[in-house]
Amino acid sequence: LPVAKDVADAPTVSARSSLKISGRVTDASGETVAFNGPLQFTVFDSEKSVETHGWGETGKVSHYQDRSSKLATAACMVTDGQWQATIMMPSEIANNYAPAFITIYAYDNTLKVEASGSTDKLFVYGYNEDASEDKDGPEILSFGVNTLSANGTQTVNSNPVALAEFCDESGINISEAGIGHKMSILLDKDKLYDDVSKYFTPDPEDNTKGSISYPLIDLEPGDHELTLTVWDNANNSTSATLNFKVGLNLRPDVTEISTYYDRNNDRLNLKVSTDRPLCTLNCRLECYDLGGQLKWQTQRKVYSGNDSSFTYSWDLKDINGTRLKRGIYLLRTVVESEDGLSSSESKKIAIPAK
């Protein structure tokens, strides 16, 4: 059904139910546009009154309405401007018969265009008594520090990132309405991080799956233990524990260099993978012929992202602006952390004729 024009006609979605939602990306005139890319929803519970502290000599207590309770999130892919998705609601809601709120954001990486929307023509109220019984916690598919494919105890830098992937048929609970059911990380059986759900990313292809990339800041050198606890929308939990070591003055590593030649545009697309997710690095790319002569180089500051990698598109022109001849060359990558520690990796590449 179309979004209700009046809140009195808005639909009601209950706890433990699924909200099916669809729509389109339009221009200012309302025409559907050829938009392609990921789209993410966030559902907030009804507004509540917040009282300020009124601190200070002239401070006064005041009240305002705020939507501080996030209930659920989901993602999907927009294809030619059209999209549809299912949002799975948690067990715990405010149960206040006042309008909820949905925000929507999408991005087309090819067109470099953003799209957004929102609506408060929705109520989240009641409980779905017909919800399927679920007594099993989420399945933690992978869990690591700086990498998802860790074997044994890892040695990482002092500002690593906890990475995990998980799934559950009832959906992953990111609700902030309940008490004691928050996604959390426990460091060394002592320090609890309970804001982990803010770093949750839903899978656009499967609404039962999701992942986190949670930054850990200024860890002391030595051995550490990390325990992740994840809840589903039926209030079942699962925990996983791993051990890792923080090294002193640890250099960033280049774990892989991959290339792809775009014949239509005569460009070489480079992807450099590191062991530093969500990290700003200084990167230098160099190309040498087999005689050791420098043919091309570029230097830039990059951000490694969730998958610890960054990309670059090279037009295959040398330092003089001349397109390189067909042949075998040596590509060298140097990455440097913001504290000045660096490492390098080299790979032979084949450059085709234009």
Side-chain angles (χ1 to χ4, degrees), residues 1 3 5 27 45 55 69 75 84 97 131 133 138 142 147 149 159 174 202 208 268 275 290 294 320 335-336 348 351:
L1 294 175
V3 174
K5 294 183 179 180
D27 57 20
D45 214 331
W55 289 340
S69 182
Q84 60 179 354
Y97 202 73
E133 186 178 18
S142 55
T147 177
S149 57
N159 294 296
I174 66 154
T208 69
L268 190 68
D275 65 346
L290 296 183
L294 178 65
N320 297 314
V335 292
E336 181 183 66
K348 287 184 179 180
I351 295 180

Side-chain angles (χ1 to χ4, degrees), residues 48 80 172 184 248 271:
K48 61 181 180 181
D80 295 330
I172 302 300
S184 65
L248 187 63
K271 181 178 180 180

Side-chain angles (χ1 to χ4, degrees), residues 10 32 77 81 91 112 131 154 192 199-200 224 232 235 244 272 283 328 345 347:
T32 303
M77 298 300 295
S91 296
K112 306 298 182 185
Q154 304 164 254
L192 181 68
Y199 296 82
F200 174 78
H224 294 276
D232 65 14
N235 285 343
F244 67 99
V272 179
C283 173
I328 303 297
E345 188 67 36
K347 177 183 179 179

